[in-house]
Amino acid sequence: MTGRLEAIWVKRSHRGPMDAVSRATLRAGQGIVGSADQGGRRQVTLIEYQAWDAAVEQMGVAVEPSARRANLLISGLSLANSRGRTLRVGQCKLRINGETRPCERMDEAQPGLRAALGVPWRGGAFAEVLNDAEIEVGATVGWRG
């Protein structure tokens, strides 16, 4: 089963805006070049389009996916229970290290968003970058192994 990379966002500073880009460079052990979040176990954050749609439908209010403040929006694959798995995004390999739990920033973007994303894995996942690679919107996404 394969999916698609629908969007890429880069956070230029902590608590700063999320900039939409059509392509990005990822560095092993670091994250997205130009992003405020570098190193550690949480180098890249991901959300899945279907889970986002479910949260927005639950709220009954249109909210752009960039409000989640994730780096990558994917479609066609589920991130649920993916801890320890390796996800390929184009030529980049990402090891999923855990579930991203929604924080108070979600309610700043839209009241009720934090609760709507509180369903297990609906808030997405965080990962570390395993190899240097360029990615672009439209790239194929799939599980390795």
Side-chain angles (χ1 to χ4, degrees):
M1 182 177 209
T2 60
R4 181 178 190 274
L5 179 59
E6 300 291 342
I8 304 169
W9 296 283
V10 176
K11 184 185 338 173
R12 50 184 130 137
S13 63
H14 292 287
R15 296 186 69 90
M18 301 298 289
D19 298 323
V21 296
S22 61
R23 60 183 32 226
T25 302
L26 286 84
R27 294 279 181 252
Q30 294 301 306
I32 297 176
V33 172
S35 178
D37 298 321
Q38 296 288 307
R41 296 182 66 234
R42 191 177 174 141
Q43 299 164 12
V44 176
T45 54
L46 305 97
I47 57 171
E48 61 178 272
Y49 193 81
Q50 296 79 358
W52 179 259
D53 273 355
V56 169
E57 184 177 324
Q58 178 181 325
M59 290 188 325
V61 177
V63 182
E64 289 297 316
S66 61
R68 178 63 188 102
R69 304 187 56 73
N71 299 118
L72 307 178
L73 174 65
I74 65 167
S75 65
L77 292 180
S78 172
L79 294 170
N81 303 309
S82 60
R83 184 186 323 268
R85 294 185 75 184
T86 300
L87 183 69
R88 183 186 41 76
V89 178
Q91 297 302 311
C92 190
K93 293 178 282 196
L94 304 174
R95 180 176 27 246
I96 305 295
N97 286 328
E99 175 184 3
T100 306
R101 302 296 300 158
C103 67
E104 67 281 351
R105 296 288 314 262
M106 299 302 95
D107 283 339
E108 291 172 16
Q110 175 64 49
L113 183 55
R114 184 177 188 181
L117 291 170
V119 173
W121 291 90
R122 192 182 271 179
F126 61 92
E128 63 184 293
V129 180
L130 300 179
N131 66 305
D132 293 354
E134 296 274 331
I135 60 171
E136 63 184 331
V137 171
T140 299
V141 177
W143 295 111
R144 290 197 62 214

